[in-house]
Amino acid sequence: MNDNDRVLQVLSGNTSAFAYFVETYQDMAVTIAFRICGNRQDAEDVVQESYLKAFRNLHSFRSESKFSTWFYRIVYNAAVTHSCSKMWLREGQTGLSAAADTPLPSPDAELERREQAQMVERTLQELPKGDALLLTLYYMEDHSVKEIAQITGLNLSNVKVRLFRARKLFKEHLPAGVY
Amino acid sequence: MDIEDKNKFTEDEKMRRLLRTSKLRASENFSWRVMQQIETEKALTARRRTSKRPGYNVFTDTRSIFGSMYAVLLAMVALAYFEQGKEVLLTPDFLGKVLLVGVGFIAFWLLTRAEGRLRRKKNRRGLLHQ
């Protein structure tokens, strides 16, 4: 059964079928909201509100796009409204200072997975929110450039350019040895 | 795949592996909370819908009452015509009977409307006290 079939089930009155969408997409939705809001509690509140909005407006979902694209767009809009944050900086603005040169104690030491994850997370938090979000959408769930454009409201070429810059910025600011 | 593509593939794969380590997990009871909120809202919406005006439709009521009236009058006219001829149709006696039937149906229709209005008022009062 695909997502469209499940949407039809919910629309025909089977509310419990909506639980599938909650369980499948909650982690990524919270991650997206966290990238924008910057704090976990707010992120979960935003996602909870987004699920409610999605349920109320499920009749407006068009099966031409994926459910995840449609739903993440709701999450994105809700998170941006909630945090009133400026998502997209202009060219030349990064909001970052030069990357601190903090190499690992031993270049040969094997990183614990958790330490690596923390460093990646810290670097993402230092990036402009829009860049961190683009990297999250592109690499975590392999969303295409077209889907990212639908979620964020940016045009295709804008997404490509920003993604390229975000990748570069991320690599430059990741502590030495992690990449 | 040429070398440039292969390098890009490797770079992308590295990025993918790194970034996936930072994916958050929702709290343990998150999906339960969301479904609770949705089920509650659905229950409240259903209750609001059923407590709306009961299925009183003034048009079907009016149609059925006046429809019956015309049917009765037509039957009266037809009976009188075939039994006593068309002269009887214009006599005061017959016209009096037609008028009586008409007034009777109109009174019945007015009573139905008044009763429906009273019923709706009662239901609304009942909802306010819930």
Side-chain angles (χ1 to χ4, degrees), chain A residues 40-60:
Chain A
R40 202 192 165 90
Q41 187 56 56
D42 285 353
E44 287 202 354
D45 289 346
V46 160
V47 173
Q48 188 166 342
E49 194 51 45
S50 300
Y51 269 118
L52 209 55
K53 272 187 199 156
F55 180 75
R56 285 179 198 139
N57 294 292
L58 205 57
H59 56 274
S60 68

Side-chain angles (χ1 to χ4, degrees), chain A residues 127-148:
Chain A
L127 293 183
K129 290 184 180 186
D131 291 355
L133 178 67
L134 290 180
L135 292 174
T136 300
L137 288 169
Y138 190 77
Y139 287 108
M140 270 195 203
E141 285 199 348
D142 298 330
H143 285 281
S144 65
V145 169
K146 186 182 174 190
E147 284 164 355
I148 294 173

Side-chain angles (χ1 to χ4, degrees), chain A residues 3-4 7 57-63 65-67 70:
Chain A
D3 281 2
N4 292 340
V7 166
N57 294 292
L58 205 57
H59 56 274
S60 68
F61 168 66
R62 300 280 165 260
S63 54
S65 71
K66 284 162 45 179
F67 179 87
W70 179 75

